[in-house]
Amino acid sequence: MRVVHASKVCKEDDFSEMTEKLLGRKMRHLLNVIIILYSYASLMCFIALIFPLFGRFLQSAFYRNDYKDYDEFYDYKWGKPYIKFPFFLALALLLSLICLIKDINKLNFSAYIGVIAVIYALIVVMVQCRSYYKHYKDTVYVEEDESTHPNWINLGDAFKKDLVFFKGMANLIFAYACQSGIFPIYAGFKMQVKGLKKMKISAMLGMLLTTILHIISIVCGFLTDPITPEDLIIYRKNKGNGKDVAMVIARLLVSISLIFTVPGYYFPLRLSMINVCFNGKLSDVFNIIFTFASLIGCSIISAIYDKILHYLNYIGFISVFISFLFPALIYIYSTEQGIKYWKNILHLVLAIVMCIIGLIAGVATVIDDIKGEN
Protein backbone atom coordinates (compact mmCIF):
# COMPACT_ATOMS: atom_id res chain seq x y z
CA MET A 1 0.00 0.00 0.00
CA ARG A 2 2.84 2.36 0.90
CA VAL A 3 4.65 1.69 -2.36
CA VAL A 4 1.49 2.31 -4.38
CA HIS A 5 0.93 5.61 -2.50
CA ALA A 6 4.50 6.70 -3.23
CA SER A 7 4.03 5.75 -6.88
CA LYS A 8 1.09 8.11 -7.11
CA VAL A 9 3.05 10.96 -5.48
CA CYS A 10 6.25 10.74 -7.52
CA LYS A 11 4.54 9.50 -10.70
CA GLU A 12 6.80 6.47 -11.11
CA ASP A 13 5.77 2.84 -11.59
CA ASP A 14 9.20 1.28 -11.10
CA PHE A 15 10.39 0.40 -7.58
CA SER A 16 14.01 1.35 -8.32
CA GLU A 17 13.11 4.62 -10.08
CA MET A 18 10.86 5.50 -7.17
CA THR A 19 13.68 4.87 -4.70
CA GLU A 20 16.11 7.08 -6.63
CA LYS A 21 13.60 9.90 -6.89
CA LEU A 22 12.77 9.92 -3.19
CA LEU A 23 15.90 8.54 -1.47
CA GLY A 24 18.76 9.18 -3.90
CA ARG A 25 20.87 7.25 -6.39
CA LYS A 26 22.99 5.42 -3.78
CA MET A 27 19.87 4.00 -2.13
CA ARG A 28 18.65 2.87 -5.54
CA HIS A 29 21.90 0.95 -6.10
CA LEU A 30 21.57 -0.59 -2.62
CA LEU A 31 17.98 -1.63 -3.37
CA ASN A 32 19.02 -3.20 -6.68
CA VAL A 33 21.73 -5.24 -4.92
CA ILE A 34 19.19 -6.42 -2.32
CA ILE A 35 16.71 -7.37 -5.05
CA ILE A 36 19.45 -9.32 -6.85
CA LEU A 37 20.28 -11.27 -3.67
CA TYR A 38 16.58 -11.81 -2.94
CA SER A 39 15.83 -12.98 -6.47
CA TYR A 40 18.80 -15.35 -6.69
CA ALA A 41 17.99 -16.87 -3.29
CA SER A 42 14.31 -17.24 -4.27
CA LEU A 43 15.24 -18.91 -7.56
CA MET A 44 17.50 -21.40 -5.78
CA CYS A 45 14.78 -22.10 -3.19
CA PHE A 46 12.07 -22.80 -5.76
CA ILE A 47 14.36 -24.90 -7.93
CA ALA A 48 15.41 -26.89 -4.85
CA LEU A 49 11.73 -27.35 -3.95
CA ILE A 50 10.67 -28.60 -7.38
CA PHE A 51 13.05 -31.59 -7.14
CA PRO A 52 11.56 -33.31 -4.03
CA LEU A 53 8.03 -32.28 -5.02
CA PHE A 54 8.28 -33.88 -8.45
CA GLY A 55 10.10 -36.85 -6.92
CA ARG A 56 7.28 -37.36 -4.43
CA PHE A 57 4.82 -37.23 -7.32
CA LEU A 58 6.73 -39.98 -9.14
CA GLN A 59 7.07 -42.10 -6.01
CA SER A 60 3.38 -41.88 -5.11
CA ALA A 61 2.19 -42.35 -8.71
CA PHE A 62 4.51 -45.03 -10.09
CA TYR A 63 6.74 -46.46 -7.32
CA ARG A 64 4.28 -46.70 -4.44
CA ASN A 65 4.71 -50.46 -4.11
CA ASP A 66 8.51 -50.35 -4.45
CA TYR A 67 9.31 -47.68 -1.84
CA LYS A 68 7.30 -47.08 1.34
CA ASP A 69 7.86 -43.29 1.42
CA TYR A 70 9.74 -40.45 -0.28
CA ASP A 71 12.82 -40.74 1.98
CA GLU A 72 13.38 -44.35 0.91
CA PHE A 73 12.72 -43.46 -2.74
CA TYR A 74 15.27 -40.62 -2.48
CA ASP A 75 17.93 -42.77 -0.81
CA TYR A 76 17.71 -45.67 -3.26
CA LYS A 77 16.74 -44.02 -6.54
CA TRP A 78 15.72 -40.34 -6.89
CA GLY A 79 18.65 -38.89 -4.97
CA LYS A 80 21.35 -40.71 -6.94
CA PRO A 81 23.74 -38.25 -8.66
CA TYR A 82 23.13 -39.79 -12.11
CA ILE A 83 19.43 -38.89 -11.74
CA LYS A 84 19.61 -35.78 -9.57
CA PHE A 85 22.06 -33.64 -11.54
CA PRO A 86 20.62 -34.37 -15.02
CA PHE A 87 17.19 -33.47 -13.63
CA PHE A 88 18.46 -30.13 -12.34
CA LEU A 89 20.22 -29.44 -15.65
CA ALA A 90 17.09 -30.23 -17.67
CA LEU A 91 15.04 -28.08 -15.29
CA ALA A 92 17.50 -25.19 -15.70
CA LEU A 93 17.25 -25.38 -19.50
CA LEU A 94 13.43 -25.45 -19.35
CA LEU A 95 13.30 -22.49 -16.95
CA SER A 96 15.79 -20.54 -19.08
CA LEU A 97 13.62 -20.91 -22.16
CA ILE A 98 10.58 -19.68 -20.21
CA CYS A 99 12.50 -16.76 -18.69
CA LEU A 100 13.74 -15.57 -22.09
CA ILE A 101 10.26 -14.14 -22.58
CA LYS A 102 10.72 -10.40 -22.07
CA ASP A 103 7.07 -9.51 -21.50
CA ILE A 104 5.61 -10.92 -18.28
CA ASN A 105 2.16 -10.25 -19.76
CA LYS A 106 2.61 -13.40 -21.86
CA LEU A 107 2.76 -15.50 -18.69
CA ASN A 108 -0.53 -14.28 -17.22
CA PHE A 109 -1.88 -17.82 -17.34
CA SER A 110 0.75 -18.92 -14.78
CA ALA A 111 -1.03 -16.95 -12.05
CA TYR A 112 -4.21 -18.94 -12.67
CA ILE A 113 -2.25 -22.21 -12.64
CA GLY A 114 -0.73 -21.27 -9.29
CA VAL A 115 -4.05 -20.32 -7.70
CA ILE A 116 -5.79 -23.44 -9.02
CA ALA A 117 -2.93 -25.70 -7.84
CA VAL A 118 -2.79 -24.25 -4.33
CA ILE A 119 -6.56 -24.17 -3.82
CA TYR A 120 -6.96 -27.70 -5.19
CA ALA A 121 -4.17 -28.99 -2.91
CA LEU A 122 -5.75 -27.30 0.11
CA ILE A 123 -9.17 -28.72 -0.73
CA VAL A 124 -7.62 -32.20 -0.84
CA VAL A 125 -5.91 -31.63 2.51
CA MET A 126 -9.10 -30.18 4.04
CA VAL A 127 -11.20 -33.14 2.93
CA GLN A 128 -8.63 -35.70 4.04
CA CYS A 129 -7.53 -34.16 7.36
CA ARG A 130 -10.64 -35.49 9.14
CA SER A 131 -9.82 -39.09 8.24
CA TYR A 132 -6.16 -38.53 9.13
CA TYR A 133 -7.17 -37.19 12.56
CA LYS A 134 -9.48 -40.19 13.12
CA HIS A 135 -6.60 -42.48 12.08
CA TYR A 136 -4.40 -40.74 14.66
CA LYS A 137 -6.99 -41.14 17.43
CA ASP A 138 -7.64 -44.80 16.60
CA THR A 139 -4.08 -46.03 16.06
CA VAL A 140 -1.63 -43.60 17.71
CA TYR A 141 -3.23 -41.77 20.62
CA VAL A 142 -2.83 -43.39 24.06
CA GLU A 143 -4.20 -41.44 26.99
CA GLU A 144 -1.54 -42.66 29.42
CA ASP A 145 1.33 -41.85 27.02
CA GLU A 146 1.98 -38.10 26.80
CA SER A 147 4.27 -38.55 23.78
CA THR A 148 1.18 -39.49 21.74
CA HIS A 149 -0.81 -36.42 22.80
CA PRO A 150 -1.32 -33.44 20.46
CA ASN A 151 1.68 -31.12 20.39
CA TRP A 152 -0.04 -27.90 21.50
CA ILE A 153 1.71 -24.59 20.90
CA ASN A 154 4.00 -23.45 23.70
CA LEU A 155 4.90 -19.82 23.14
CA GLY A 156 7.81 -20.13 25.56
CA ASP A 157 9.50 -22.70 23.27
CA ALA A 158 9.40 -20.24 20.37
CA PHE A 159 12.10 -18.08 21.96
CA LYS A 160 14.45 -20.84 23.15
CA LYS A 161 17.77 -21.80 21.52
CA ASP A 162 16.19 -22.90 18.21
CA LEU A 163 14.64 -19.41 17.83
CA VAL A 164 11.55 -20.84 16.16
CA PHE A 165 9.68 -17.53 16.44
CA PHE A 166 12.28 -15.59 14.47
CA LYS A 167 12.67 -18.25 11.78
CA GLY A 168 8.90 -18.57 11.48
CA MET A 169 8.55 -14.80 11.14
CA ALA A 170 11.23 -14.81 8.41
CA ASN A 171 9.23 -17.40 6.48
CA LEU A 172 6.04 -15.37 6.95
CA ILE A 173 7.74 -12.19 5.71
CA PHE A 174 8.87 -14.00 2.57
CA ALA A 175 5.30 -15.20 1.98
CA TYR A 176 4.16 -11.57 1.67
CA ALA A 177 7.21 -10.10 -0.09
CA CYS A 178 6.18 -8.81 -3.51
CA GLN A 179 7.44 -5.22 -3.74
CA SER A 180 10.21 -5.85 -6.26
CA GLY A 181 7.84 -7.23 -8.87
CA ILE A 182 4.56 -5.55 -8.01
CA PHE A 183 4.41 -3.02 -10.84
CA PRO A 184 5.56 -5.28 -13.71
CA ILE A 185 2.95 -7.80 -12.56
CA TYR A 186 0.20 -5.21 -12.33
CA ALA A 187 1.21 -3.83 -15.70
CA GLY A 188 0.91 -7.34 -17.11
CA PHE A 189 -2.63 -7.61 -15.79
CA LYS A 190 -3.54 -4.21 -17.23
CA MET A 191 -4.08 -2.83 -13.73
CA GLN A 192 -2.43 0.49 -14.54
CA VAL A 193 -5.31 1.30 -16.87
CA LYS A 194 -7.71 0.91 -13.97
CA GLY A 195 -5.70 3.22 -11.73
CA LEU A 196 -3.86 3.08 -8.45
CA LYS A 197 -7.05 2.72 -6.41
CA LYS A 198 -7.81 -0.55 -8.19
CA MET A 199 -4.22 -1.63 -7.59
CA LYS A 200 -4.65 -1.06 -3.85
CA ILE A 201 -7.89 -3.03 -3.79
CA SER A 202 -6.31 -5.84 -5.80
CA ALA A 203 -3.29 -5.96 -3.47
CA MET A 204 -5.50 -6.04 -0.36
CA LEU A 205 -7.65 -8.85 -1.77
CA GLY A 206 -4.51 -10.77 -2.74
CA MET A 207 -3.07 -10.46 0.78
CA LEU A 208 -6.42 -11.43 2.31
CA LEU A 209 -6.64 -14.56 0.12
CA THR A 210 -3.03 -15.45 0.99
CA THR A 211 -3.75 -15.08 4.72
CA ILE A 212 -6.86 -17.27 4.49
CA LEU A 213 -4.91 -19.97 2.64
CA HIS A 214 -2.14 -19.83 5.27
CA ILE A 215 -4.62 -20.24 8.13
CA ILE A 216 -6.36 -23.16 6.42
CA SER A 217 -3.05 -24.94 5.79
CA ILE A 218 -1.99 -24.44 9.43
CA VAL A 219 -5.23 -25.86 10.87
CA CYS A 220 -5.38 -28.77 8.42
CA GLY A 221 -1.69 -29.53 8.95
CA PHE A 222 -2.24 -29.84 12.68
CA LEU A 223 -5.30 -32.07 12.25
CA THR A 224 -3.41 -34.27 9.77
CA ASP A 225 -0.63 -34.98 12.26
CA PRO A 226 -1.21 -33.48 15.74
CA ILE A 227 2.14 -34.76 17.11
CA THR A 228 4.69 -33.67 14.51
CA PRO A 229 2.97 -31.59 11.81
CA GLU A 230 5.03 -31.80 8.64
CA ASP A 231 4.93 -30.87 5.00
CA LEU A 232 1.45 -31.67 3.69
CA ILE A 233 2.40 -32.15 0.04
CA ILE A 234 5.82 -33.83 -0.03
CA TYR A 235 6.40 -35.75 3.19
CA ARG A 236 2.91 -36.61 4.36
CA LYS A 237 2.60 -40.38 4.61
CA ASN A 238 -0.48 -42.22 3.39
CA LYS A 239 -2.54 -43.63 6.24
CA GLY A 240 -3.41 -46.73 4.21
CA ASN A 241 -1.97 -48.89 1.44
CA GLY A 242 -4.05 -47.48 -1.41
CA LYS A 243 -2.97 -44.88 -3.94
CA ASP A 244 -3.97 -41.35 -2.99
CA VAL A 245 -4.93 -40.22 -6.49
CA ALA A 246 -6.17 -36.79 -5.37
CA MET A 247 -2.86 -35.94 -3.69
CA VAL A 248 -0.88 -37.34 -6.64
CA ILE A 249 -2.67 -34.83 -8.88
CA ALA A 250 -2.04 -32.06 -6.33
CA ARG A 251 1.70 -32.76 -6.34
CA LEU A 252 1.84 -32.61 -10.12
CA LEU A 253 -0.16 -29.36 -10.24
CA VAL A 254 1.99 -27.68 -7.58
CA SER A 255 5.17 -28.82 -9.38
CA ILE A 256 3.94 -27.23 -12.62
CA SER A 257 2.89 -24.03 -10.82
CA LEU A 258 6.34 -23.71 -9.23
CA ILE A 259 7.98 -23.94 -12.65
CA PHE A 260 5.91 -20.98 -13.84
CA THR A 261 6.53 -19.13 -10.57
CA VAL A 262 10.25 -18.81 -11.35
CA PRO A 263 9.87 -16.08 -14.05
CA GLY A 264 8.13 -13.85 -11.50
CA TYR A 265 11.36 -13.81 -9.49
CA TYR A 266 13.67 -13.78 -12.49
CA PHE A 267 12.24 -10.62 -14.11
CA PRO A 268 13.11 -8.33 -11.14
CA LEU A 269 16.55 -9.94 -11.07
CA ARG A 270 17.13 -9.19 -14.74
CA LEU A 271 15.93 -5.59 -14.37
CA SER A 272 18.18 -5.01 -11.37
CA MET A 273 21.19 -6.61 -13.04
CA ILE A 274 20.64 -4.45 -16.13
CA ASN A 275 20.58 -1.33 -13.93
CA VAL A 276 23.61 -2.30 -11.84
CA CYS A 277 25.92 -4.01 -14.34
CA PHE A 278 24.77 -3.04 -17.84
CA ASN A 279 23.88 0.66 -17.47
CA GLY A 280 20.22 0.03 -18.22
CA LYS A 281 20.76 -1.79 -21.53
CA LEU A 282 21.24 -5.45 -22.38
CA SER A 283 21.55 -6.85 -25.89
CA ASP A 284 19.59 -9.93 -26.94
CA VAL A 285 22.75 -12.05 -27.08
CA PHE A 286 23.85 -11.07 -23.58
CA ASN A 287 20.30 -11.54 -22.35
CA ILE A 288 20.36 -15.16 -23.54
CA ILE A 289 23.81 -15.77 -22.04
CA PHE A 290 22.85 -14.14 -18.73
CA THR A 291 19.57 -16.05 -18.49
CA PHE A 292 21.09 -19.48 -19.10
CA ALA A 293 24.12 -18.75 -16.88
CA SER A 294 21.92 -17.52 -14.01
CA LEU A 295 19.48 -20.41 -14.02
CA ILE A 296 22.08 -23.13 -14.61
CA GLY A 297 24.17 -21.64 -11.79
CA CYS A 298 21.16 -21.53 -9.47
CA SER A 299 20.29 -25.12 -10.35
CA ILE A 300 23.79 -26.37 -9.57
CA ILE A 301 23.76 -24.65 -6.18
CA SER A 302 20.24 -25.98 -5.47
CA ALA A 303 21.34 -29.51 -6.29
CA ILE A 304 24.24 -29.25 -3.82
CA TYR A 305 22.59 -27.16 -1.09
CA ASP A 306 18.97 -28.30 -0.84
CA LYS A 307 17.95 -27.16 2.65
CA ILE A 308 14.65 -25.53 1.71
CA LEU A 309 13.79 -24.20 5.17
CA HIS A 310 17.23 -22.59 5.38
CA TYR A 311 16.62 -20.90 2.04
CA LEU A 312 13.33 -19.55 3.39
CA ASN A 313 15.06 -18.14 6.47
CA TYR A 314 17.72 -16.40 4.39
CA ILE A 315 15.14 -15.05 1.95
CA GLY A 316 13.00 -13.86 4.86
CA PHE A 317 15.96 -11.88 6.19
CA ILE A 318 16.52 -10.26 2.81
CA SER A 319 12.78 -9.72 2.35
CA VAL A 320 12.48 -7.40 5.36
CA PHE A 321 14.38 -4.73 3.47
CA ILE A 322 12.14 -5.06 0.40
CA SER A 323 8.88 -5.50 2.32
CA PHE A 324 9.40 -3.11 5.24
CA LEU A 325 12.47 -0.86 5.30
CA PHE A 326 12.48 0.55 1.77
CA PRO A 327 8.65 0.85 1.52
CA ALA A 328 8.63 2.67 4.88
CA LEU A 329 11.36 5.10 3.79
CA ILE A 330 9.73 5.64 0.39
CA TYR A 331 6.38 6.30 2.02
CA ILE A 332 7.82 8.71 4.62
CA TYR A 333 9.65 10.80 2.05
CA SER A 334 6.60 10.85 -0.22
CA THR A 335 4.41 12.45 2.47
CA GLU A 336 4.29 16.13 3.31
CA GLN A 337 4.58 15.63 7.08
CA GLY A 338 8.19 14.35 7.04
CA ILE A 339 9.98 11.82 9.21
CA LYS A 340 9.03 13.44 12.55
CA TYR A 341 5.29 12.87 12.06
CA TRP A 342 4.07 10.27 14.58
CA LYS A 343 2.56 7.93 11.99
CA ASN A 344 5.77 8.01 9.98
CA ILE A 345 7.77 7.27 13.13
CA LEU A 346 5.59 4.19 13.70
CA HIS A 347 6.24 3.06 10.12
CA LEU A 348 9.99 3.41 10.66
CA VAL A 349 9.99 1.68 14.07
CA LEU A 350 8.02 -1.27 12.65
CA ALA A 351 10.48 -1.54 9.77
CA ILE A 352 13.47 -1.54 12.15
CA VAL A 353 11.88 -4.16 14.42
CA MET A 354 11.20 -6.43 11.43
CA CYS A 355 14.79 -5.96 10.23
CA ILE A 356 16.06 -7.07 13.64
CA ILE A 357 13.80 -10.15 13.55
CA GLY A 358 15.03 -11.00 10.05
CA LEU A 359 18.67 -10.50 11.10
CA ILE A 360 18.29 -12.87 14.05
CA ALA A 361 16.69 -15.49 11.77
CA GLY A 362 19.50 -15.11 9.21
CA VAL A 363 22.29 -15.35 11.82
CA ALA A 364 20.62 -18.34 13.50
CA THR A 365 20.42 -20.13 10.15
CA VAL A 366 24.09 -19.44 9.43
CA ILE A 367 24.92 -20.99 12.82
CA ASP A 368 22.73 -24.01 11.98
CA ASP A 369 24.61 -24.43 8.69
CA ILE A 370 27.97 -24.23 10.46
CA LYS A 371 26.82 -26.88 12.93
CA GLY A 372 25.45 -29.00 10.08
CA GLU A 373 21.89 -28.89 11.41
CA ASN A 374 18.80 -28.94 9.19
Side-chain angles (χ1 to χ4, degrees), residues 10 31 48 80 102 126 162 174 177 179 196 231 267 269 292 295 298 310 316 320 331 359:
C10 63
L31 174 64
K80 297 297 183 181
K102 292 184 178 181
M126 287 172 61
D162 289 335
F174 169 60
Q179 317 295 354
L196 292 172
D231 182 283
F267 288 143
L269 166 65
F292 277 89
L295 289 165
C298 287
H310 287 209
V320 295
Y331 176 78
L359 177 62

Side-chain angles (χ1 to χ4, degrees), residues 98-112 181-194 260 263-264 267-268 270-271:
I98 297 173
C99 289
L100 283 176
I101 299 173
K102 292 184 178 181
D103 184 7
I104 197 172
N105 187 40
K106 295 179 180 178
L107 294 174
N108 282 356
F109 67 91
S110 64
Y112 299 107
I182 183 172
F183 289 102
I185 291 172
Y186 277 128
F189 282 102
K190 310 299 182 185
M191 289 301 297
Q192 288 179 325
V193 177
K194 300 179 180 179
F260 287 102
F267 288 143
R270 182 168 59 194
L271 289 173

Side-chain angles (χ1 to χ4, degrees), residues 7-73:
S7 173
K8 181 179 180 181
V9 172
C10 63
K11 294 180 174 58
E12 289 287 351
D13 60 0
D14 180 88
F15 198 19
S16 297
E17 295 285 350
M18 208 182 307
T19 302
E20 180 175 354
K21 203 165 197 177
L22 295 170
L23 305 178
R25 191 168 184 80
K26 289 184 179 179
M27 291 296 283
R28 174 184 177 172
H29 288 318
L30 177 60
L31 174 64
N32 283 328
V33 171
I34 291 172
I35 291 176
I36 289 170
L37 293 175
Y38 165 78
S39 300
Y40 268 126
S42 300
L43 288 174
M44 288 184 280
C45 178
F46 282 115
I47 292 172
L49 183 57
I50 291 170
F51 178 74
L53 187 56
F54 191 72
R56 182 69 169 106
F57 159 72
L58 293 177
Q59 184 268 327
S60 57
F62 304 108
Y63 297 97
R64 180 175 52 85
N65 296 325
D66 300 324
Y67 305 96
K68 64 179 182 180
D69 55 28
Y70 174 73
D71 289 332
E72 185 175 295
F73 178 62

Side-chain angles (χ1 to χ4, degrees), residues 47-230:
I47 292 172
L49 183 57
I50 291 170
F51 178 74
L53 187 56
F54 191 72
R56 182 69 169 106
F57 159 72
L58 293 177
Q59 184 268 327
S60 57
F62 304 108
Y63 297 97
R64 180 175 52 85
N65 296 325
D66 300 324
Y67 305 96
K68 64 179 182 180
D69 55 28
Y70 174 73
D71 289 332
E72 185 175 295
F73 178 62
Y74 178 87
D75 291 337
Y76 291 99
K77 190 176 186 69
W78 190 240
K80 297 297 183 181
Y82 59 84
I83 293 179
K84 185 175 185 179
F85 284 95
F87 176 88
F88 274 99
L89 179 59
L91 181 61
L93 296 176
L94 173 61
L95 293 174
S96 298
L97 293 174
I98 297 173
C99 289
L100 283 176
I101 299 173
K102 292 184 178 181
D103 184 7
I104 197 172
N105 187 40
K106 295 179 180 178
L107 294 174
N108 282 356
F109 67 91
S110 64
Y112 299 107
I113 293 176
V115 171
I116 291 171
V118 170
I119 292 179
Y120 172 79
L122 278 181
I123 290 174
V124 172
V125 172
M126 287 172 61
V127 171
Q128 294 182 346
C129 70
R130 182 180 177 183
S131 62
Y132 269 85
Y133 186 75
K134 184 178 184 302
H135 177 74
Y136 154 76
K137 292 289 289 186
D138 294 342
T139 62
V140 178
Y141 179 79
V142 178
E143 187 172 354
E144 295 77 15
D145 186 358
E146 290 189 2
S147 64
T148 65
H149 291 188
N151 184 15
W152 301 109
I153 296 173
N154 185 341
L155 293 178
D157 292 340
F159 295 92
K160 290 183 179 180
K161 65 176 184 177
D162 289 335
L163 301 176
V164 176
F165 168 79
F166 297 96
K167 295 174 182 177
M169 283 297 296
N171 293 344
L172 190 63
I173 292 167
F174 169 60
Y176 289 94
C178 62
Q179 317 295 354
S180 60
I182 183 172
F183 289 102
I185 291 172
Y186 277 128
F189 282 102
K190 310 299 182 185
M191 289 301 297
Q192 288 179 325
V193 177
K194 300 179 180 179
L196 292 172
K197 185 177 180 180
K198 292 290 185 180
M199 290 177 65
K200 287 185 178 181
I201 295 173
S202 176
M204 290 177 64
L205 290 175
M207 293 184 69
L208 177 62
L209 175 61
T210 301
T211 303
I212 292 173
L213 295 179
H214 283 323
I215 293 173
I216 292 173
S217 65
I218 290 169
V219 174
C220 293
F222 182 77
L223 292 175
T224 299
D225 188 351
I227 301 177
T228 55
E230 58 184 355

Side-chain angles (χ1 to χ4, degrees), residues 358-374:
L359 177 62
I360 293 173
V363 172
T365 306
V366 170
I367 295 173
D368 288 344
D369 276 328
I370 294 174
K371 291 181 178 180
E373 296 178 359
N374 192 356

